Amino acid sequence: GAGVSQSPRYKVAKRGQDVALRCDPISGHVSLFWYQQALGQGPEFLTYFQNEAQLDKSGLPSDRFFAERPEGSVSTLKIQRTQQEDSAVYLCASSSGILGGNTEAFFGQGTRLTVV
Amino acid sequence: AQSVAQPEDQVNVAEGNPLTVKCTYSVSGNPYLFWYVQYPNRGLQFLLKYITGDNLVKGSYGFEAEFNKSQTSFHLKKPSALVSDSALYFCAVRAGAEGGYQKVTFGTGTKLQVIP
């Protein structure tokens, strides 16, 4: 597709449930980022992939969060044993630059996760 | 650690008047600076960036921003506001270190309301 696609757009999970959020970046984009955006806040960095390599996972809030990009294209963000504080919009972005470079990122519409 | 400050949660401006959305930053070395806009229920869209060169940067939809190194600022401006400019605006920064991965940090956002 022409842009970054995320699915599902909305996810309601019961506390303790595992969830998987999918991101389809723009074809050919080397860099892929995941961000968490709480209501009324700016995006907070979670993790960064260059192709299939996860170069930075310093923003993942706990070991319940796990991300992968096994073939260097589609990425999945998995949250295990969800908690209420995980409720947020999860944004995926991709860019053609490497190492986070000087190129702008293209964002998906996000997945709004609500943990009840 | 790098940071971005957007001191105004909301900016109100009358349609046709000039607008300014403020951003200051803190980063080691030379910065790469970005502005993004977010419309309701949509992902962030890139507006403009400063990497190097001319301090006045022009971007999409008639927006421009001026990089001021001494004041560590990168304020977003537009000569004549439109009602359709009403949205949430985010400033972002990363260190412009050559050859190394650097994380992008976002501000908390400024809501722009253009009044007809």
Side-chain angles (χ1 to χ4, degrees):
Chain A
V4 178
S5 178
Q6 291 187 247
S7 60
R9 287 292 314 281
Y10 303 93
K11 176 69 179 177
V12 178
K14 292 184 178 179
R15 192 172 57 176
Q17 186 179 355
D18 296 350
V19 298
L21 312 180
R22 177 187 169 103
C23 173
D24 281 87
I26 292 174
S27 178
H29 275 191
V30 170
S31 291
L32 185 144
F33 307 83
W34 283 100
Y35 291 88
Q36 181 188 59
Q37 186 176 21
L39 190 64
Q41 299 295 315
E44 293 283 345
F45 171 81
L46 292 177
T47 188
Y48 165 68
F49 288 87
Q50 180 179 301
N51 295 310
E52 69 280 1
Q54 189 175 21
L55 298 190
D56 188 348
K57 55 182 179 179
S58 64
L60 297 177
S62 76
D63 58 8
R64 296 187 295 103
F65 286 70
F66 172 76
E68 59 184 6
R69 193 186 186 197
E71 298 179 356
S73 56
V74 172
S75 177
T76 304
L77 177 67
K78 297 179 180 178
I79 309 173
Q80 297 177 325
R81 305 181 303 281
T82 52
Q83 318 245 329
Q84 284 192 316
E85 61 262 30
D86 300 335
S87 296
V89 175
Y90 290 85
L91 297 171
C92 176
S94 70
S95 78
S96 58
I98 61 170
L99 297 175
N102 63 7
T103 55
E104 61 272 23
F106 294 82
F107 282 79
Q109 291 184 289
T111 295
R112 182 179 296 278
L113 173 65
T114 304
V115 181
V116 297
Chain B
Q2 63 191 34
S3 64
V4 177
Q6 293 183 244
E8 302 153 318
D9 289 337
Q10 181 159 336
V11 170
N12 297 321
V13 64
E15 186 177 23
N17 281 4
L19 68 88
T20 298
V21 182
K22 295 180 181 178
C23 171
T24 58
Y25 66 90
S26 174
V27 70
S28 297
N30 294 320
Y32 292 168
L33 294 154
F34 305 83
W35 275 101
Y36 289 85
V37 59
Q38 187 175 35
Y39 298 99
N41 298 315
R42 297 182 64 177
L44 279 72
Q45 297 177 33
F46 169 76
L47 276 181
L48 52 78
K49 66 182 177 184
Y50 171 82
I51 303 300
T52 187
D54 194 347
N55 288 346
L56 184 63
V57 178
K58 294 186 183 297
S60 307
Y61 312 120
F63 283 94
E64 59 187 30
E66 185 165 13
F67 169 61
N68 187 317
K69 188 172 184 177
S70 63
Q71 297 185 6
T72 60
S73 67
F74 190 56
H75 301 330
L76 182 70
K77 299 182 180 184
K78 187 173 182 181
S80 178
L82 301 173
V83 173
S84 58
D85 294 330
S86 298
L88 195 54
Y89 290 80
F90 291 96
C91 182
V93 69
R94 59 152 282 183
E98 295 299 329
Y101 163 74
Q102 297 291 335
K103 183 164 45 182
V104 175
T105 299
F106 283 82
T108 52
T110 298
K111 182 178 180 181
L112 174 66
Q113 190 76 38
V114 180
I115 303 161

